[in-house]
């Protein structure tokens, strides 16, 4: 089944992908939204994003946001990352594997269930791409704070079918 067909069946609408290098730097500093080297593509840090100028799912686990809310934040972060993949590749069926995700959860020092948050991202990737392509390795770290008070951020490394031209 085609990835975009699966997205439609799941009722998932892609978001506005991250802006290109000319637009980057105004808010978060100079960087690229993605870099490809051969068949490997690195996506920069993605978060749940903003709606009407306000951070979606702000806060820290163990203080002011629940595990369920942060799970949804991680899921939305995954949708944002898939949107950037679509921008970079044109066709999401070019993704041949999620190699790894590096994840950060804003939390208090007493919070120890980081994996429950990251499941929001990895559950989504498995649903969208299937278990063979959508599941990769992952690491999740607790952080005292994240940019703009986001509760979750990820950076993905993916495998693609052929180098970008």
């Amino acid at each position: 089944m085609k990835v975009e067909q699966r997205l439609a069946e799941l009722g998932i609408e892609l978001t506005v992908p991250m802006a290109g290098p000319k637009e980057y730097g105004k808010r978060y500093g100079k960087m690229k939204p993605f870099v490809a080297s051969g068949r490997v593509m690195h996506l920069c840090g993605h978060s749940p994003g903003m709606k009407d100028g306000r951070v979606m799912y702000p806060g820290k686990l163990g203080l002011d946001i629940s595990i369920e809310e942060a799970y949804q934040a991680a899921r939305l972060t995954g949708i944002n990352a898939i949107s950037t993949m679509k921008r970079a590749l044109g066709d999401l069926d070019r993704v041949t594997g999620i190699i790894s995700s590096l994840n950060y959860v804003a939390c208090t020092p007493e919070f120890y269930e980081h994996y429950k948050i990251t499941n929001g991202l990895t559950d989504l990737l498995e649903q969208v791409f299937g278990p063979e392509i959508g599941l990769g390795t992952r690491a999740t770290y607790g952080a005292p704070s994240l940019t703009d008070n986001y509760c979750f951020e990820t950076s993905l490394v993916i495998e693609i079918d052929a180098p970008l031209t």
Side-chain angles (χ1 to χ4, degrees):
M1 177 183 299
K2 294 230 173 243
V3 173
E4 297 211 33
Q5 181 181 353
R6 195 170 301 120
L7 287 168
E9 288 177 1
L10 293 168
I12 296 172
E13 292 185 30
L14 296 180
T15 58
V16 175
M18 297 191 86
K22 290 183 180 179
E23 295 84 9
Y24 245 72
K26 292 181 181 178
R27 183 167 180 87
Y28 296 115
K30 294 179 181 177
M31 70 180 104
K32 295 177 181 179
F34 58 87
V35 172
S37 177
R39 292 187 52 216
V40 176
M41 179 180 290
H42 295 259
L43 273 63
C44 72
H46 280 66
S47 65
M50 294 187 174
K51 184 174 183 179
D52 300 324
R54 298 181 65 189
V55 168
M56 301 204 40
Y57 301 101
K60 288 185 183 184
L61 277 294
L63 184 64
D64 48 15
I65 188 167
S66 71
I67 288 173
E68 294 77 18
E69 290 170 314
Y71 176 98
Q72 291 303 319
R75 184 175 174 83
L76 181 55
T77 299
I79 292 169
N80 292 339
I82 292 169
S83 299
T84 298
M85 291 178 211
K86 169 74 174 166
R87 173 183 179 254
L89 301 170
D91 181 356
L92 289 170
D93 290 309
R94 293 194 60 196
V95 175
T96 57
I98 303 297
I99 296 172
S100 66
S101 67
L102 181 58
N103 308 286
Y104 299 93
V105 174
C107 60
T108 64
E110 299 78 25
F111 184 79
Y112 301 111
E113 298 179 293
H114 309 84
Y115 65 93
K116 290 183 178 179
I117 312 314
T118 302
N119 286 345
L121 169 71
T122 54
D123 288 351
L124 171 81
L125 294 172
E126 180 183 29
Q127 289 171 346
V128 171
F129 292 102
E132 292 301 314
I133 294 173
L135 291 179
T137 65
R138 73 180 198 187
T140 303
Y141 301 96
S145 66
L146 295 173
T147 300
D148 288 335
N149 199 29
Y150 286 112
C151 70
F152 184 81
E153 183 173 338
T154 191
S155 179
L156 294 169
V157 179
I158 65 173
E159 180 184 61
I160 57 177
D161 62 351
L164 295 181
T165 56

